[in-house]
Amino acid sequence: MSVAVSPPSTRSPRGPSATPSESLSRAINAAVADLNGVREEIAKVLVGQPQLVDALLIGLLTNGHVLLEGVPGLAKTTAVKALAASMHAKFHRVQFTPDLLPADLIGNLIYNPQRGEYSTKLGPLFANIVLADEINRAPAKVQSALLEAMQEHQVTIGETTYRLPEPFLVLATENPVDQEGTYPLPEAQVDRFMLKVVVDYPSAEEEKVILRRMARSHPKTELESVIDSEQVLRWRDLVDEVYLDEKVEDYIVRLVVATRSVAQHVPELDGMVRFGASPRATINLALAAKAHALLQGRHFVTPQDVKTMARPVLRHRIITTFEAEAEEVSAESIVESLLAKLPVP
């Protein structure tokens, strides 16, 4: 549902306007057309999963990392590789294993005995898109090595800091934590992901299409690169131009703050939340809502954009209690309850 919103009188005249200029409208239409071209390329190897594709595109548009969770065989890796193949960009895949070392990600100093000096070998993080495959199969020390890269877009090797290329995006896949051979991701690491997408099974009709397309010894997987890094950087500037009304801003803030005092809004959930979402969630929810509006071809954010993006932005940022686990109350259900209770502008 699209709801037109009026501009507040306190909005700075230099900020994004509720009335788009002709050039902004043209730029949004051109971006949507190009992004639909990316969708078409991904659809050559990925059947269905529109929410997954949208999440990957929103991460691309907002400079936000994306975590994909699901059991093996749901095409999580395929989706990320398809996105990378549709871009003229550098792509690296890292298979996370229990014996992976931090240096295997960021790089290392190598001593040359003939010259008597060290040289730097940069790791696979130096790419535009990095696929951290099965990220929860590596121990905490490896996860911590990603923090600086994901937050600051730089890594430190020895005494030297190296900037990562732009755009830089970590797209990680993980199996549910109750699967054999996995580790729970540290909260600080999980919070660095803008979105967490829970990938579900395809429908019976979609699975039949998958069978017909992929049940062969050499399935066709060649994709065409239809966008480049410069376009992505321009689109990120375009996301900043999407109008966010003050009433919608208040709705975002109220929703995030409500995760810290759930019992005030949903009394039956009293004692179910240890920690709510941080201000980083507020920032990410606003950015994700803007990007979602852009994907729909709009220059303004509606409350429905916020509600759509609240689930992937908040589900991994709410830490539940042992009581919630015993009662089988998940962070997902808490977000759903808050969305149902809070008034929509």
Side-chain angles (χ1 to χ4, degrees), residues 187 259-263 267-276 315 317-334:
E187 284 81 2
T259 65
R260 308 167 198 164
S261 54
V262 174
E268 56 268 30
L269 294 179
D270 186 23
M272 298 296 176
V273 176
R274 289 177 58 204
F275 301 105
R315 63 164 52 108
R317 293 186 161 96
I318 297 175
I319 310 301
T320 56
T321 62
F322 292 114
E323 181 182 353
E325 294 181 14
E327 297 290 334
E328 297 185 348
V329 175
S330 65
E332 181 94 13
S333 63
I334 292 171

Side-chain angles (χ1 to χ4, degrees), residues 149-160:
M150 294 177 66
Q151 186 65 29
E152 306 294 337
H153 288 208
Q154 65 183 29
V155 299
T156 302
I157 303 174
E159 298 180 352
T160 306

